[in-house]
Amino acid sequence: MPMRCKRCRGKVVIEVRRHNAAFCRDCFVHYVRQQVSRAIAKHRMLAPTDRVLVAVSGGKDSLGLWDLLLDLGYQADGLYLGLGIGGYSDRSKDLSQAFADARGAKLVVHDLESEQGYTIPEAAGAGRLKRASPGGRSSCAVCGLSKRYLFNRVALEGGYDVVATGHNLDDEAAVLFANTLRWDTASMARQFPVLEATRPGLVKKVKPLYRVAERESAAYCVLKGIDYVVEECPLVGGNTQMRHKETLNQMEEASPGTKHNFLFGYVDRAAALLRAADVAELAECSRCGMVTQAPDDPAEAPVCAFCRTRARLVGEASSGGRTLPVVSGRAGP
Amino acid sequence: MPMRCKRCRGKVVIEVRRHNAAFCRDCFVHYVRQQVSRAIAKHRMLAPTDRVLVAVSGGKDSLGLWDLLLDLGYQADGLYLGLGIGGYSDRSKDLSQAFADARGAKLVVHDLESEQGYTIPEAAGAGRLKRASPGGRSSCAVCGLSKRYLFNRVALEGGYDVVATGHNLDDEAAVLFANTLRWDTASMARQFPVLEATRPGLVKKVKPLYRVAERESAAYCVLKGIDYVVEECPLVGGNTQMRHKETLNQMEEASPGTKHNFLFGYVDRAAALLRAADVAELAECSRCGMVTQAPDDPAEAPVCAFCRTRARLVGEASSGGRTLPVVSGRAGP
């Protein structure tokens, strides 16, 4: 490890091998903030007057991101979504609330079980029972689907301009890696640090941490004294993304910068080419009114993946075409 | 391992996990031949009357390919290019010649040292000495460049319609993996099972083994009694492609079909999108007359990478703009 901070020649606390750099405490915080500022500027993620909703899980990435956005002067509220994963969810919520209180920031809280009638562990059970059924999804898939849907919907109903999520460089590289191994070109085409609100009903999504590695995000929280949930989600163990992260870590070890070059090369050179593959036609879900893919058969009423999955999980009560509004945890702007 | 051949229920000699299949001796040979026929048909690689030049190294892939093309009834001559890698090259040449003799096939022989004035080990030495010099290339890079150039040129001068190379599924997946990790979109755009002769001076290139895994190609040669060079090239040890192959092998082990899905997904869904990135303008090399990329500066005389590298390796004698024709080892058609 180099002996001196790259920026001020002070005492080093962390090395960043892919940049061939090492930093002292203060300069590392400066470096992370700079990476986030650069991401925001390069992709025009946020305007100074934007009302930002940060999707907060209680982990290092989302709490670190919220902290960074507040420090950079953005109007950023947090959104915590209760997933019903026992003690893990309880601790996640408590730490999110503690951070909000300490910073005098607003945390919007929603809850899958009381508002939508299911929890992620129930979805996991249903996934096991109905693995072979069409439309059956793994618990990670139901969790991702629920979060994407509700982040957008809560932001829309709360009048927010942007949803910010804490996806870091390692997350983004692993998802891109998984999609690339299958050449799932439609998913690849939609993976980008910013997704604009291309039509009413969609809120802009941004990933300001995409230039910050996982260990850097953890180090940031430690150095800033942010208390976060260290444990992994108990349902995630051994999933494909974790396997891909291990593979990428091995390659990174052999050749520092592998993940950075893979992700940034995609963002800079390939994403625009892949976007030609994203030909999905959009429509309004006939049950909830949110944006969804139009069905192949134009005579069929569009039903979004969230409504379909929810109907499968909570039974007939919600499969009759009724709109089940999300209970808003806060007043409008 | 399943106990019975998938096709005839006979005694199994090899399992093909990615197809969830196992085959007896005869049905495995049939399977490999079928994969090659399918590759040829799907990408219109060869017409029945084409004169095919198979690039032969003496290894399992190129000798297996030559054998398969002869069995399928194609007019296929072999081309052996002496690289000057000591005993390794001698054994490779002897085994290529022995195969040609046994099959009553024609082997065209060319030699880097006597015709071009350098060997690959010399290029390796020069690479070490001039690592930092612009235009300096690793020995693997010089070898690849020399082969691509001379395969095309010998085929052109010999009146062949197509050059066939023995790249197998593992080779193609590893090269694609390396290019994708860097999103080298220009190289990706040119990686495909068939490259048409898009202008005079270029001969069509095909890779009829791209659907056949490395171990299947080895098994094919063993079962057909083809004697091939088992040793790896002594210069290749620890190169990046071998590291990537190990990574892919680990992923294949955890999830059979990973390589197949990665390569075939690219060929079927992504290659056409990436091709939009291949904007290289072509020109005639001012020294040898072969096709090369046009220089950025239109006032500059185009010089191809082969002529530039050769000038660097053999010194002034060839750097003065003289054309150094390839000595043909056979009469024209």
Side-chain angles (χ1 to χ4, degrees):
Chain A
M1 188 187 291
M3 299 310 292
R4 293 284 157 203
C5 171
K6 186 181 183 176
R7 197 161 160 262
C8 78
R9 318 300 301 157
K11 188 171 164 249
V12 159
V13 298
I14 188 168
E15 194 186 9
V16 180
R17 281 181 73 199
R18 74 178 182 289
H19 292 311
N20 200 19
F23 298 104
C24 73
R25 188 188 188 93
D26 287 353
C27 291
F28 177 70
V29 168
H30 172 90
Y31 154 80
V32 173
R33 205 174 283 155
Q34 200 180 36
Q35 293 299 319
V36 170
S37 296
R38 193 173 293 175
I40 292 171
K42 181 177 165 101
H43 298 287
R44 300 171 191 275
M45 289 182 176
L46 304 175
T49 56
D50 275 349
R51 290 186 64 231
V52 185
L53 187 64
V54 184
V56 168
S57 71
K60 61 188 188 312
D61 301 311
S62 56
L63 290 185
L65 172 61
W66 197 4
D67 186 71
L68 283 153
L69 293 181
L70 291 171
D71 280 358
L72 288 168
Y74 292 100
Q75 305 171 52
D77 293 351
L79 164 60
Y80 178 83
L81 178 63
L83 303 167
I85 311 178
Y88 171 75
S89 283
D90 297 338
R91 288 186 289 281
S92 302
K93 184 179 170 189
D94 291 347
L95 287 166
S96 302
Q97 192 62 61
F99 177 87
D101 295 345
R103 293 289 311 234
K106 177 170 198 91
L107 183 70
V108 182
V109 177
H110 284 270
D111 183 68
L112 268 189
E113 184 165 30
S114 61
E115 298 170 21
Q116 304 299 335
Y118 67 91
T119 66
I120 297 303
E122 284 164 19
R128 265 195 293 280
L129 287 170
K130 303 195 185 177
R131 181 162 291 183
S133 73
R137 286 166 187 262
S138 74
S139 58
C140 287
V142 172
C143 187
L145 170 67
S146 305
K147 288 191 287 197
R148 278 193 303 278
Y149 177 89
L150 291 167
F151 292 167
N152 184 77
R153 184 152 184 175
V154 170
L156 200 63
E157 295 178 352
Y160 290 94
D161 300 292
V162 192
V163 170
T165 53
H167 295 94
N168 61 40
L169 197 161
D170 293 66
D171 296 330
E172 288 298 284
V175 169
L176 180 63
F177 192 64
N179 287 334
T180 304
L181 283 175
R182 290 178 281 123
W183 291 97
D184 177 349
T185 50
S187 297
M188 293 168 82
R190 287 192 290 270
Q191 192 185 349
F192 205 67
V194 58
L195 289 179
E196 298 293 342
T198 49
R199 57 175 281 164
L202 290 178
V203 177
K204 181 176 179 180
K205 314 286 182 320
V206 299
K207 300 168 182 170
L209 281 194
Y210 86 95
R211 304 176 68 92
V212 177
E214 195 158 287
R215 65 184 275 276
E216 292 157 26
S217 147
Y220 176 85
C221 286
V222 170
L223 294 175
K224 288 273 293 194
I226 298 168
D227 201 8
Y228 63 89
V229 183
V230 176
E231 65 195 287
E232 284 282 348
C233 168
L235 299 176
V236 90
N239 77 358
T240 314
Q241 190 180 330
M242 289 187 73
R243 265 215 331 268
H244 289 323
K245 280 194 173 178
E246 279 165 33
T247 301
L248 287 167
N249 285 341
Q250 282 174 25
M251 291 194 285
E252 182 77 22
E253 185 65 34
S255 179
T258 298
K259 286 185 235 183
H260 174 113
N261 294 336
F262 176 55
L263 180 62
F264 287 26
Y266 178 75
V267 167
D268 291 341
R269 287 189 299 280
L273 300 170
L274 267 294
R275 225 165 279 155
D278 189 20
V279 293
E281 216 180 302
L282 300 179
E284 258 186 28
C285 172
S286 59
R287 294 191 194 167
C288 71
M290 292 290 108
V291 176
T292 185
Q293 281 198 21
D296 291 337
D297 176 0
E300 200 181 308
V303 179
C304 74
F306 179 78
C307 285
R308 273 186 277 121
T309 297
R310 193 173 163 284
R312 189 173 57 78
L313 289 171
V314 305
E316 289 175 40
S318 66
S319 62
R322 288 197 297 127
T323 297
L324 282 142
V326 175
V327 179
S328 180
R330 70 191 299 282
Chain B
M1 191 186 289
M3 299 311 293
R4 292 284 157 204
C5 170
K6 185 181 182 177
R7 196 160 160 262
C8 78
R9 317 301 302 157
K11 187 171 163 249
V12 159
V13 297
I14 187 168
E15 194 186 10
V16 180
R17 281 182 73 199
R18 74 178 182 289
H19 291 311
N20 200 19
F23 298 104
C24 72
R25 187 187 189 94
D26 288 353
C27 291
F28 177 70
V29 168
H30 173 90
Y31 154 80
V32 173
R33 203 174 284 154
Q34 200 180 37
Q35 292 301 318
V36 170
S37 298
R38 193 172 293 175
I40 292 171
K42 182 177 164 102
H43 298 288
R44 300 172 190 276
M45 290 182 176
L46 304 174
T49 56
D50 275 348
R51 291 186 63 231
V52 185
L53 187 64
V54 184
V56 168
S57 71
K60 61 188 188 313
D61 300 312
S62 57
L63 290 184
L65 172 60
W66 198 3
D67 186 72
L68 283 152
L69 293 181
L70 291 171
D71 280 358
L72 289 167
Y74 291 100
Q75 304 172 50
D77 294 351
L79 163 62
Y80 178 83
L81 177 64
L83 303 167
I85 311 178
Y88 171 75
S89 283
D90 297 339
R91 289 185 289 280
S92 302
K93 184 180 171 187
D94 291 348
L95 287 167
S96 302
Q97 191 62 60
F99 177 88
D101 294 346
R103 292 290 310 236
K106 176 171 198 88
L107 183 70
V108 182
V109 177
H110 284 271
D111 184 67
L112 268 190
E113 184 164 29
S114 61
E115 298 170 20
Q116 304 299 335
Y118 66 93
T119 66
I120 297 302
E122 284 164 17
R128 265 195 293 280
L129 287 172
K130 304 193 186 180
R131 179 161 293 181
S133 73
R137 286 167 186 262
S138 74
S139 58
C140 288
V142 172
C143 186
L145 169 67
S146 306
K147 288 192 286 196
R148 278 192 303 278
Y149 178 89
L150 291 166
F151 292 168
N152 184 77
R153 184 155 182 172
V154 170
L156 200 65
E157 294 178 352
Y160 290 95
D161 300 293
V162 193
V163 170
T165 53
H167 295 93
N168 61 39
L169 197 161
D170 294 65
D171 296 330
E172 288 297 284
V175 169
L176 181 62
F177 192 63
N179 288 334
T180 305
L181 283 175
R182 290 177 281 123
W183 291 98
D184 177 350
T185 50
S187 298
M188 293 168 82
R190 287 192 290 269
Q191 191 184 350
F192 205 67
V194 59
L195 289 180
E196 298 293 343
T198 49
R199 57 175 282 163
L202 290 178
V203 177
K204 181 176 180 180
K205 315 287 181 320
V206 299
K207 299 168 182 171
L209 281 195
Y210 86 95
R211 304 176 67 91
V212 177
E214 196 158 287
R215 66 183 275 276
E216 292 157 27
S217 149
Y220 176 85
C221 286
V222 170
L223 293 175
K224 288 274 293 199
I226 298 168
D227 202 8
Y228 63 90
V229 184
V230 176
E231 65 196 285
E232 283 284 348
C233 167
L235 299 176
V236 90
N239 77 359
T240 314
Q241 190 179 328
M242 289 187 74
R243 266 216 331 268
H244 289 322
K245 279 193 173 178
E246 279 165 33
T247 301
L248 287 166
N249 285 342
Q250 282 175 24
M251 290 194 285
E252 182 76 21
E253 184 65 34
S255 178
T258 298
K259 286 185 236 183
H260 174 115
N261 293 336
F262 176 56
L263 180 62
F264 288 26
Y266 177 75
V267 167
D268 292 341
R269 286 189 301 280
L273 299 171
L274 268 294
R275 225 166 277 154
D278 190 20
V279 293
E281 216 181 301
L282 300 179
E284 258 185 29
C285 173
S286 58
R287 295 193 192 165
C288 70
M290 292 290 108
V291 176
T292 185
Q293 281 197 20
D296 291 337
D297 176 0
E300 200 182 308
V303 179
C304 75
F306 179 78
C307 285
R308 273 185 276 121
T309 297
R310 192 173 165 284
R312 189 173 57 78
L313 289 171
V314 306
E316 288 174 37
S318 66
S319 62
R322 289 198 296 127
T323 296
L324 282 142
V326 175
V327 178
S328 180
R330 70 192 298 282

